[in-house]
Amino acid sequence: MATSDVTQPGTPAPPIIEIRDLHKSFGEHKVLDGITLSVPAGSTLVILGGSGSGKTVLMKHMIGLLKPDSGQVIVDGEDIVPMGPLELEKLRRKFGMVFQAAALFDSMTVYENVSFPLREHRKDIPEEQMRELVKEKLSIVGLKNVEQKYPSDLSGGMRKRVGLARAIVLDPKIVLYDEPTTGLDPITTDYVDEMILDAKKQLGVTSVVISHDIASAFKVADNIAFLYQGVIVDQGHPSKLRHSQHPGVKVFLQTWFGKN
Ligand SMILES: Nc1ncnc2c1ncn2[C@@H]1O[C@H](COP(=O)(O)OP(=O)(O)O)[C@@H](O)[C@H]1O
Ligand SMILES: [Mg+2]
């Protein structure tokens, strides 16, 4: 066993995203105050924190949409902080993004929506093959025969699944979800949680899920990181976070576990 890329059972996978001592202020307002995080390849990390705690700001640093005041963001072995626009565009192909609102184009069919990134980035792919790829991605998210439907014909949960199919159509290594269950009813929330778990199982992707939904977080996470007052105050396996001694985490979790 001389090769270094042989992963031993029980050995954590190497990180695909590493954030080191990240700081970001907007004017006088300090939002990130020294974030250090590591996401093992193939795992699901949930970043949990209250509204306005800086979760979206942190996520934007992972794809270079924001530049930090200081610190490093290492994706797939490369520090992305010094990257210019062309390098960033290449980097972003490693990511699929699923936003809070499914953000589908209402005037386009499901087929046109899901194939959109292929038309933008893979003009070399013939239409026939595109149809196959779209069908394959829709089947991964559990949808069949919906290509000719419009978003308004679909339920909220199905629209989320179409959003994920579009996010994975270029075969990203990492999928980022920003508040995927916020504002959804409990049944649709369950459906979206299952979708995140399925995507991990079927694609082996690394997922980063930003959430303030505690129930969802504990369902989908391999690891949870808790963002509070600009720092990750606790992180680890959900069972560890459940018994966190940090006062900020305790109060936050009580709002859910206190009632259940
Ligand atoms: N581009 C920006 N300019 C100024 N302030 C910002 C900007 N983006 C985010 N903020 C501020 O940073 C804080 C964290 O925002 P955000 O990351 O969106 O929170 P959340 O945890 O709810 O996702 C908020 O106070 C927000 O107003
Ligand atoms: Mg947000």
Side-chain angles (χ1 to χ4, degrees):
M1 290 275 192
T3 45
S4 60
D5 58 349
V6 175
T7 306
Q8 303 292 337
T11 312
I16 190 161
I17 303 176
E18 252 192 299
I19 293 176
R20 296 186 189 146
D21 201 23
L22 199 73
H23 290 257
K24 179 70 176 178
S25 296
F26 296 103
E28 294 291 293
H29 182 195
K30 191 175 276 182
V31 177
L32 304 179
D33 195 13
I35 301 281
T36 295
L37 255 188
S38 151
V39 191
S43 72
T44 299
L45 172 73
V46 175
I47 299 171
L48 206 50
S51 179
S53 58
K55 302 182 297 296
T56 299
V57 167
L58 176 57
M59 184 172 267
K60 284 181 175 170
H61 281 86
M62 294 180 186
I63 48 171
L65 280 175
L66 285 172
K67 293 279 187 198
D69 301 327
S70 63
Q72 288 177 304
V73 180
I74 295 152
V75 177
D76 220 4
E78 281 184 294
D79 186 1
I80 71 161
V81 172
M83 285 184 178
L86 284 178
E87 280 176 295
L88 283 174
E89 201 197 308
K90 236 174 92 194
L91 166 89
R92 288 187 193 128
R93 287 185 211 171
K94 294 182 182 176
F95 288 91
M97 298 275 299
V98 182
F99 297 101
Q100 184 171 338
L104 299 175
F105 302 111
D106 290 330
S107 61
M108 292 186 188
T109 63
V110 167
Y111 176 71
E112 288 163 343
N113 267 286
V114 176
S115 61
F116 190 81
L118 293 170
R119 288 172 205 289
E120 291 282 292
H121 297 288
R122 297 295 311 274
K123 295 188 173 44
D124 56 305
I125 297 181
E127 191 73 31
E128 193 65 13
Q129 202 183 332
M130 248 184 226
R131 291 203 178 273
E132 280 307 307
L133 279 172
V134 168
K135 197 170 161 189
E136 178 195 314
K137 291 329 193 217
L138 285 170
S139 119
I140 286 172
V141 302
L143 296 175
K144 221 164 63 177
N145 299 327
V146 293
E147 281 93 330
Q148 296 318 314
K149 293 191 188 301
Y150 285 88
S152 57
D153 300 329
L154 305 175
S155 69
M158 285 167 89
R159 281 201 292 271
K160 290 272 178 186
R161 287 186 179 243
V162 173
L164 177 61
R166 187 176 61 188
I168 61 175
V169 81
L170 295 170
D171 293 319
K173 290 187 168 185
I174 306 161
V175 181
L176 303 181
Y177 299 88
D178 193 351
E179 306 263 6
T181 61
T182 296
L184 299 181
D185 62 80
I187 291 169
T188 310
T189 296
D190 273 350
Y191 190 69
V192 171
D193 289 342
E194 291 301 326
M195 167 186 98
I196 295 170
L197 290 166
D198 284 351
K200 178 191 156 174
K201 208 159 48 187
Q202 296 204 42
L203 298 166
V205 291
T206 306
S207 307
V208 179
V209 183
I210 294 265
S211 184
H212 64 248
D213 183 332
I214 295 164
S216 284
F218 277 79
K219 211 155 126 194
V220 304
D222 294 308
N223 290 294
I224 296 178
F226 195 92
L227 178 59
Y228 183 74
Q229 295 183 345
V231 289
I232 301 294
V233 291
D234 206 349
Q235 60 180 308
H237 190 267
S239 61
K240 171 175 179 261
L241 260 279
R242 173 71 187 88
H243 300 288
S244 175
Q245 291 309 303
H246 189 278
V249 182
K250 276 171 109 168
V251 168
F252 192 81
L253 294 186
Q254 239 156 33
T255 61
W256 172 257
F257 288 109
K259 291 185 296 198
N260 284 271

